[in-house]
Amino acid sequence: MDGASSSDGAAYIFEYYPSTDSWQQSAKMLPAVNWNHLLGSGVAVDGSTVVAGGPGYSDSQGRSYVYQYDPASDTWLSTILDPSDFRNGDGFGGHVAVSGSTLMIASRGGD
């Protein structure tokens, strides 16, 4: 999003190309809406799946995004994850982990 604020954050994907011995940016992930996300505070990668946390979203309730690479369309598809028990200050997404089809998303204020 071109109108993102400086505190929305972003997550960048870089790929290594042995033929040129260089890393090149292949994607830039941005939050779906501008709302002080702090996207990228927590990031995890497993194969073609990237999880990026945005613990600052909506009064620090937090939100996380799952990005999955689709080779057929050569694009990254995103899914938004929100906890079922949102509360201000939870910070959902400050730390994230992914292993196969399982995600772990930490919430510092979750109860």
Side-chain angles (χ1 to χ4, degrees), residues 14-53:
F14 285 82
E15 295 182 72
Y16 180 71
Y17 293 87
S19 61
T20 58
D21 192 30
S22 64
W23 288 90
Q24 296 179 18
Q25 180 181 328
S26 60
K28 178 179 180 181
M29 312 322 201
L30 295 167
V33 295
N34 300 340
W35 200 311
N36 193 29
H37 278 74
L38 304 174
L39 184 69
S41 295
V43 176
V45 179
D46 185 16
S48 60
T49 300
V50 176
V51 182

Side-chain angles (χ1 to χ4, degrees), residues 43-94:
V43 176
V45 179
D46 185 16
S48 60
T49 300
V50 176
V51 182
Y57 171 76
S58 188
D59 293 322
S60 295
Q61 291 177 359
R63 169 174 272 179
S64 292
Y65 292 83
V66 178
Y67 299 97
Q68 294 178 297
Y69 181 70
D70 176 26
S73 63
D74 192 31
T75 59
W76 289 86
L77 308 174
S78 66
T79 302
I80 296 172
L81 300 177
D82 293 320
S84 59
D85 58 350
F86 256 136
R87 292 187 187 196
N88 290 351
D90 280 353
F92 180 76

Side-chain angles (χ1 to χ4, degrees), residues 2-16:
D2 294 330
S5 74
S6 62
S7 58
D8 279 332
Y12 296 81
I13 304 288
F14 285 82
E15 295 182 72
Y16 180 71

